[in-house]
Every structure is written in structure tokens, then in C-alpha cells.
């Protein structure tokens, strides 16, 4: 599903990712953990194709296709979903219209028919109800004035409607309360299936109490220094990054 090969990324001429390699097969949930400043958010922004994140060498392949030169919208349309620590606010666009545009773009890209307005509304209302996203929230400008929990619920709603092939969730450093964590985890768990992959980026292992990863990677100094099964997350929590990374070095 996702192959990152010897990726080097600079931000404002500063090398941040220094040879990051990572493969996430279809159907698997991989977690990236790492100390502050390791390059976790840089990895998610690079996957998103955000401006200013310059790939100086290496490759990103998604479903076998080279991704580095694709604009962000095309990445999304091809089935990559990214959720950031701080979701963007879009003052002029209601959540509902944002979702409709995203769903349509994805349908076009997959060569499927766009849902009709009625079909879309039905799909939206069903998903929104499960996530406790109110009609009022759907009619408000995207994320503007939303509380942290509302933003998260809205994000999981987006993920649920878009049914991405790969969802990248950067939960780093964010002060998510336990309810928001559970919500994200339930959203992920409900969508787990053999055709879909997740990359869960997190500083603490707390989120992984709810989302059981197949593989845990430790990112430090701009590259993956160690990978293991879910017990690696527990080991990090117990022993700290220095001890575990020290063993890897
Ligand atoms: P993490 O998410 O793992 O905490 P980041 O990817 O946010 O780490 O940051 C990795 C490193 O890149 C840090 O040393 C940070 O200071 C640096 N960095 C991040 N963004 C920028 C930027 N826009 N300009 C310069 N340095 C940056
Ligand atoms: Mg950070
Ligand atoms: Mg971060």
C-alpha cells in the first residue's frame, strides 16, 4: 500500500528526514512513535504533499505509484487520508460542502459515479449520527470555532465517508482527552479491513491501548531506528525512548 524508501526531506533548507524507510502493507495498522522533534509531523506533512516540505531524495510510492510529484488533492483523491494535529479551518466552506466535494473528487478519481445529493445526504446523516456530529456542526464553516473534540469527531466523519485506502493520523503531542482518543480509535477500528491500511503517528502509547497496531516503528533523528510488534510501544512507555533507542544504536 505505502512504501517509503530512503526518504530525505528538507524544510527551509534544514534536513529533517534523513533516510526514512517504511513499508505498510494493505490491511495493516502501523504506528510511528518517537521523541519530540524526531520528524513525525514532518513525515505526515510530506505524505500530504504540503508546500515547503522538499523531498531531496528517496521515494514515496502509494499502491505502486510514485507520489512525490503529485499535488495534495490528487493524493487525497487516490485514497490517502490525512488527519493532522490541528485540523485546518476553512471559513468560507461549510463542513457539509467540504465533505461533498471530497467525496465527489474521490468518486471521480476511482472512476465511480458521484453520489446524488439525496444519496450523499443519507450517507452523511447516518455517519454523522453515529459520531454525534450535529446538523448544526455540518452547516457551520469547516472547523471554525469547533472545540477540540468537535474537530476530532468531524475528522473521523470525513474518514468514515471517504473510506480511504490509507489513513495517516498524526496525534502527536496533542492534548487529546480520553473521550477524543476513544473516538478516533473507534473510528479506526470500525474501518479496519484487509483492503485498508493505517499509519498512526503518536508520541505516547496511550492511543495504542485502543488501536492495536500490527507493527510499531520508532522514529528518531529523521529515520526509523527500530521496528517491532505492539509490545515495543509498551517497552517504550516503561523504559523511555533513550533506553530503547540506545539498544537499537
Ligand atoms: P515531531 O512531530 O516528531 O515532534 P517535527 O516533524 O515537528 O517533529 O519536527 C522535526 C524537526 O524539524 C524539529 O527539529 C523541528 O524543530 C524541525 N522543524 C519542523 N518544522 C520546521 C520548519 N518549518 N522550519 C524549520 N525546522 C522545522
Ligand atoms: Mg513535536
Ligand atoms: Mg509532531
Amino acid at each position: 500500500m505505502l512504501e517509503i524508501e530512503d526518504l530525505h526531506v528538507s524544510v527551509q533548507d534544514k534536513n529533517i528526514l534523513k533516510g526514512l524507510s517504511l513499508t505498510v502493507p494493505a490491511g495493516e495498522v502501523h504506528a510511528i512513535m518517537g521523541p519530540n522533534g524526531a520528524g513525525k509531523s514532518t513525515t505526515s506533512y510530506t505524505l500530504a504533499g504540503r508546500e515547503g516540505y522538499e523531498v531531496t531524495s528517496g521515494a514515496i510510492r502509494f499502491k505502486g505509484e510514485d507520489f512525490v510529484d503529485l499535488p495534495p488533492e490528487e493524493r487525497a483523491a487516490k485514497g490517502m487520508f490525512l488527519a493532522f494535529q490541528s485540523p485546518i479551518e476553512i471559513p468560507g466552506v461549510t463542513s457539509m460542502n467540504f465533505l461533498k466535494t471530497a467525496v465527489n473528487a474521490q468518486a471521480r478519481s476511482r472512476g465511480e459515479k458521484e453520489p446524488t445529493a439525496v444519496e450523499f445526504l443519507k450517507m452523511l446523516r447516518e455517519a454523522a449520527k453515529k459520531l454525534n456530529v450535529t446538523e448544526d456542526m455540518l452547516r457551520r464553516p469547516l472547523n471554525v470555532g469547533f472545540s477540540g473534540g468537535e474537530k476530532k469527531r468531524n475528522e473521523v466523519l470525513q474518514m468514515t465517508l471517504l473510506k480511504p485506502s490509507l489513513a495517516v493520523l498524526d496525534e502527536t503531542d496533542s492534548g487529546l482527552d480520553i473521550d477524543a482518543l476513544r473516538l478516533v480509535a473507534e473510528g479506526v477500528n470500525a474501518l479496519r479491513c484487509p483492503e485498508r491500511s493505517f499509519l498512526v503517528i503518536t508520541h505516547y502509547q496511550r492511543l495504542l491501548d485502543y488501536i492495536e497496531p500490527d507493527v510499531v516503528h520508532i522514529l528518531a533523528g529523521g529515520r526509523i531506528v527500530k521496528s517491532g510488534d505492539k509490545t515495543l510501544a509498551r517497552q517504550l512507555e516503561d523504559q523511555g525512548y533513550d533506553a530503547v533507542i540506545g539498544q537499537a544504536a
Side-chain angles (χ1 to χ4, degrees), residues 95-192:
S95 296
M96 198 184 264
N97 280 335
F98 176 82
L99 287 165
K100 179 112 181 65
T101 305
V103 165
N104 285 346
Q106 199 175 55
R108 281 197 304 273
S109 156
R110 289 175 177 173
E112 293 165 5
K113 202 165 75 64
E114 292 176 13
T116 64
V118 173
E119 285 164 349
F120 174 75
L121 275 182
K122 183 165 179 282
M123 198 162 81
L124 176 64
R125 294 220 165 96
E126 267 170 30
K129 199 170 158 199
K130 281 194 195 124
L131 290 165
N132 217 2
V133 171
T134 60
E135 192 76 23
D136 172 60
M137 266 174 75
L138 292 173
R139 294 185 185 285
R140 271 153 57 191
L142 185 69
N143 288 324
V144 177
F146 282 22
S147 71
E150 285 174 340
K151 283 180 181 171
K152 278 293 142 193
R153 295 214 301 275
N154 206 49
E155 207 172 67
V156 175
L157 176 63
Q158 285 172 33
M159 183 170 74
T160 304
L161 288 179
L162 289 172
K163 298 188 175 57
S165 306
L166 171 73
V168 180
L169 312 168
D170 186 356
E171 300 299 340
T172 334
D173 311 324
S174 52
L176 274 192
D177 62 29
I178 211 78
D179 290 342
L181 273 183
R182 280 213 181 108
L183 184 93
V184 171
E186 278 165 21
V188 168
N189 290 332
L191 289 174
R192 276 177 98 150

